[in-house]
């Protein structure tokens, strides 16, 4: 069959650009700027059907019966599929395959998929979904994560044995230390959404060999391939995935959404099937940041030296495991913060409930812990009568110190320097006596003319691991080919690494230019025809895929030199030859595929949490200046100052963009972003009611970028995407505390937290 298909995938051919340390223009920049870039929702083929999903309206219920007759009777409907139509294993999951492709006898959260439909028109598919009748026995949902841990609570996954997905203890130093000054606190973090602009979407096309081709927006092509193949009962090589344009991710595209559903429908109908979620369905169709309850106790000497940290952290993982186990590991191992603490006692729990599933989001467990331990550091500074920055500097971790896991910090850890940089930045101008109302809390809505407006200053510093941890086999694969294209040399780079907006397509070309000196670099579309690159998460792709591209380029360079020497030209580089000599050496292309790994990590001891869990640590600090209308409970962030160590600024302009974007997400969590979940139901599944910072909410930023090379990393680089999200939230809240005098133990901060109403 001949099809006209638009997959949105073309190689990115760059002829002019810079190398490592420069800021060349992104090869997809013009297309995106002009609105011509094809995202996954733009996928199209001339004979495709449209898919739609029937989802549970209940957080917890038994399915007693299904009546599909109404959907099947509609003209234009080609398939109505249930769990009985899943040919392989009706389970998937990133770490534990505990989630049904389509629910069987039980639904565990509002929005769980039960039936999928394919029809000639998207409206017909939606009408078919509405015509399906489900008979439910509604059960009492488990929505309190602490109650879920009680032995009397219903076990939501009987095969697991309890509602605790994972418990991670950290035991370091004296189990019962004493201290002269002790502060305690309980903190709560709400559920945050990744809020990417491009909703879940993809196109599944049946292939003549009995396999399936899936064009999809994802963060991890090969783990999708594995899970889809298992559900379809196909060998992985019959399930071929190609990355389509990704409209943001931030962790929510690590898990499957519509991938298997589209493939099931395509194989059943032998027609291409496209599925695109609307915004409300997207809120129900992907994981979110784990809400958390955190209880902390800090002990110190009267001089301000930390003696111990004790913490109990409970993360609400929702209905299915997703990455809860790994998030729990991060929150525990990083739970004392970027401080040298001789005695640490942490218990962190990830828990099943009937709330929406939670998983990866930028910061991955470190965000929740940082809000708590930084709030504690401010509380401790107040109890000691110390400057909060000086207290942090006094206890800041440094290279050569050990983490609470016992792991040696064996590369730069300039925490004290970062704090001094943000502290010493000039302050923004004070409000004039007659301020412009647009510069006040509430802005042009004219809620105030300056009455009750108080300025506050706050600080935050955080720590984040880079890459996959705890013994995970973390690697990436790169295929690099050097050949003649016409009369000029060109490099082709092929990886499966997902470009989700972070600029990886630019970086791969920069590395190739640096290593081979060839200006023309072609970045091939990411797909599963090359080895895995792992996930675009954990701030790891520059490190791991960058390392793979570098290593593959080095192999190509070595072979080129050997060929040149064999021709009597000496061991030359591609830039040292031209014309006939260059063409002769490259009469046959040179191609190398390299699977590259960073140094190994280790599993932590399940009883003590000791072990070399992480490959690299990254640090950022923020100073926030805010104006607060203490009478109306309104906040305006006046300025954010950030200092971050990036090891090596591979693309300096993109580094600034990552810091600004990460800070915006942290600000959002601090003052506005929260999925409101009541009795297991999302009450605000839209960008009308789920508030996100806009350009009017983001303040000016002043940024200091340090480059303290990590000797273990390619080019000395350090992952940069997540740290600014981590430290910005506590800095903003600390500034609001300073202005309002309120304790503010929960994020996001709401107006009623400031007014007491």
């Amino acid at each position: 069959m001949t099809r006209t298909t638009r997959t949105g995938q073309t190689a990115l051919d760059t002829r002019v650009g810079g190398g490592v340390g420069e800021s060349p223009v992104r090869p997809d920049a013009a297309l995106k700027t002009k609105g011509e870039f094809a995202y996954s929702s733009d996928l199209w083929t001339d004979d495709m059907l449209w898919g739609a999903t029937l989802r549970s309206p209940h957080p917890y219920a038994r399915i007693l019966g299904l009546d599909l007759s109404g959907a099947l009777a509609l003209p234009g409907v080609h398939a109505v599929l249930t769990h009985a139509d899943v040919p392989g294993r009706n389970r998937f999951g990133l770490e534990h395959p505990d989630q049904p492709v389509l629910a069987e006898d039980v639904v565990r959260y509002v929005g769980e998929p039960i039936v999928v439909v394919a029809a000639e028109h998207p409206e017909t598919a939606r009408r078919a979904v509405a015509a399906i009748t489900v008979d439910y026995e509604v059960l009492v949902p488990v929505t309190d994560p602490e109650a879920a841990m009680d032995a009397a609570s219903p076990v939501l996954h009987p095969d697991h044995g309890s509602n605790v997905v994972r418990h991670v203890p950290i035991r370091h130093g004296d189990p019962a230390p004493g201290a002269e000054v002790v502060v305690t606190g309980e903190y709560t973090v709400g559920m945050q959404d990744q809020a990417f602009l491009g909703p879940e979407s993809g196109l599944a096309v049946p292939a003549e060999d009995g396999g399936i081709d899936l064009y999809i927006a994802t963060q991890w092509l090969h783990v999708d391939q594995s899970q889809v193949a298992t559900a379809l009962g196909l060998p992985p090589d019959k399930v071929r995935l190609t990355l389509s344009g990704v409209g943001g991710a931030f962790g929510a595209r690590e898990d499957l959404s519509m991938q298997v559903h589209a493939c099931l429908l395509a194989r059943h109908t032998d027609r291409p099937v496209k599925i695109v979620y609307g915004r409300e369905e997207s809120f129900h169709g992907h994981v979110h940041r784990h809400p958390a309850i955190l209880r902390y106790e800090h002990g110190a000497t009267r001089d301000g030296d930390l003696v111990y940290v004790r913490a109990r952290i409970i993360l609400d993982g929702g209905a299915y495991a997703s990455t809860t186990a790994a998030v729990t590991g991060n929150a525990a191992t990083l739970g004392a913060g970027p401080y040298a603490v001789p005695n640490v006692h942490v218990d962190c729990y990830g828990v099943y409930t009937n709330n929406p599933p939670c998983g990866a989001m930028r910061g991955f467990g470190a965000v929740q812990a940082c809000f708590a331990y930084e709030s504690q550091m401010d509380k401790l500074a107040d109890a000691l009568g110390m400057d909060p920055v000086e207290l942090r500097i006094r206890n800041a971790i440094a290279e050569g110190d050990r983490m609470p896991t016992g792991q040696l910090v064996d590369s730069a850890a300039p925490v004290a320097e970062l704090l001094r940089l943000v502290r010493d930045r000039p302050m923004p101008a004070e409000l004039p006596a007659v301020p412009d109302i647009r510069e006040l809390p509430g802005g042009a809505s004219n809620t105030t003319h300056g009455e009750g407006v108080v300025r506050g200053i706050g600080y935050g510093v955080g720590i984040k691991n880079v890459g996959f941890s705890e013994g995970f086999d973390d690697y990436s694969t790169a295929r690099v080919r050097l050949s003649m294209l016409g009369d000029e040399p060109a490099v082709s780079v092929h990886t499966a690494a997902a470009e989700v907006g972070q600029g990886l397509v630019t970086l791969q070309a920069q590395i190739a230019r640096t290593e081979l000196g060839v200006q023309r670099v072609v970045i091939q579309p990411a797909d599963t025809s090359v080895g895995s690159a792992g996930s675009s998460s954990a701030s790891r792709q520059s490190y791991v895929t960058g390392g793979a591209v570098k290593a593959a380029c080095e192999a190509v360079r070595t072979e080129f030199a050997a060929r040149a020497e064999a021709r009597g030209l000496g061991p030359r580089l591609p830039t040292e030859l031209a014309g006939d000599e260059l063409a002769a050496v490259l009469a046959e292309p040179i191609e190398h595929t390299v699977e590259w790994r960073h140094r190994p990590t280790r599993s932590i001891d399940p009883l003590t949490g000791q072990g070399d869990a992480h490959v690299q640590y990254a640090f950022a600090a923020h100073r926030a200046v805010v104006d607060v209308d203490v009478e109306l409970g309104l906040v305006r962030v006046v300025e954010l100052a950030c200092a971050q160590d990036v090891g090596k600024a591979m693309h300096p302009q993109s580094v600034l963009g990552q810091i600004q974007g990460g800070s915006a997400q942290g600000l959002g969590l601090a003052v506005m972003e929260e999925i409101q979940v009541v009795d297991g139901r999302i009450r605000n599944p839209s960008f009308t009611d789920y508030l996100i910072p806009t350009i009017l909410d983001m303040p000016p930023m002043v940024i200091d970028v340090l480059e303290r090379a990590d000797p273990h990393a390619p080019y000395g680089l350090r992952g940069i995407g997540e740290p600014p999200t981590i430290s910005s939230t506590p800095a903003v809240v600390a500034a609001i505390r300073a202005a309002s005098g309120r304790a503010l133990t929960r994020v996001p901060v709401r107006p009623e937290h400031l007014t007491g109403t």
Side-chain angles (χ1 to χ4, degrees), residues 56-64 107 135-141 681:
S56 167
H58 304 293
Y60 195 26
R62 288 192 181 91
I63 299 174
L64 302 180
V107 289
D135 184 14
Y136 296 101
E137 178 191 350
V138 178
L139 304 173
V140 178
R681 303 174 189 277

Side-chain angles (χ1 to χ4, degrees), residues 196-425:
F196 45 67
L197 296 184
E200 291 83 351
S201 48
L203 175 69
V205 182
E208 292 182 358
D209 66 355
I212 196 87
D213 292 296
L214 178 62
Y215 302 89
I216 188 69
T218 182
Q219 291 180 242
W220 194 345
L221 286 164
H222 281 81
V223 81
D224 283 10
Q225 179 191 43
S226 174
Q227 294 178 94
V228 172
T230 298
L232 297 180
L234 290 174
D237 63 355
K238 289 291 184 74
V239 179
R240 296 168 290 269
L241 275 69
T242 301
L243 186 72
S244 292
V246 182
F250 310 113
R253 297 191 202 268
E254 278 203 308
D255 296 79
L256 294 184
S257 57
M258 44 60 62
Q259 285 93 323
V260 181
H261 300 158
C263 292
L264 283 173
L265 293 166
R267 283 175 56 79
H268 187 86
T269 61
D270 198 31
R271 296 265 297 271
V273 173
K274 177 177 178 177
I275 296 179
V276 180
Y277 288 177
R279 184 60 59 192
E280 180 172 343
E281 186 172 19
S282 179
F283 268 91
H284 291 96
H286 64 251
V287 298
H288 312 285
R289 189 187 300 286
H290 291 74
I293 302 167
L294 310 100
R295 298 183 179 94
Y296 268 76
E297 181 177 303
H298 280 58
T301 67
R302 294 198 183 280
D303 293 330
D305 296 322
L306 285 173
V307 176
Y308 70 86
V309 172
R310 301 179 70 89
R312 176 181 170 86
I313 302 169
I314 300 172
L315 301 169
D316 183 351
Y320 294 102
S322 182
T323 55
T324 290
V327 172
T328 303
N330 267 16
T333 57
L334 306 175
Y339 301 111
V341 189
N343 308 294
V344 177
H345 187 291
V346 172
D347 286 290
C348 188
Y349 301 87
V351 182
Y352 283 125
T353 66
N354 291 120
N355 291 321
C358 291
M361 184 174 172
R362 193 178 198 168
F364 205 79
V367 166
Q368 296 91 326
C370 186
F371 172 62
Y373 65 65
E374 285 299 270
S375 298
Q376 283 285 103
M377 291 299 283
D378 283 337
K379 184 178 284 191
L380 182 60
D382 186 60
L384 292 165
M386 285 186 67
D387 177 83
V389 177
E390 286 304 320
L391 176 64
R392 288 170 167 85
I393 290 172
R394 186 182 186 97
N395 292 283
I397 204 165
E399 185 174 0
D401 287 336
R402 291 195 178 272
M403 293 292 292
T405 58
Q407 182 170 3
L408 179 69
V409 179
D410 61 358
S411 67
V415 178
E417 185 176 1
L418 297 174
L419 285 162
R420 291 188 184 99
L421 283 169
V422 294
R423 179 196 62 189
D424 295 342
R425 274 282 189 175

Side-chain angles (χ1 to χ4, degrees), residues 186-188 370-379 382 392 454-460 624 626 628 630 635 729-747 749 753-754:
E186 179 173 326
Y187 306 93
T188 305
C370 186
F371 172 62
Y373 65 65
E374 285 299 270
S375 298
Q376 283 285 103
M377 291 299 283
D378 283 337
K379 184 178 284 191
D382 186 60
R392 288 170 167 85
V454 182
R455 179 156 291 186
I457 301 164
Y459 296 87
V626 305
V628 179
V630 296
V635 175
T729 297
V732 170
V733 178
I736 300 171
R737 281 195 202 102
S740 67
R742 298 280 183 171
L744 302 181
T745 59
R746 187 188 192 282
V747 288
V749 177
H753 299 158
L754 298 171

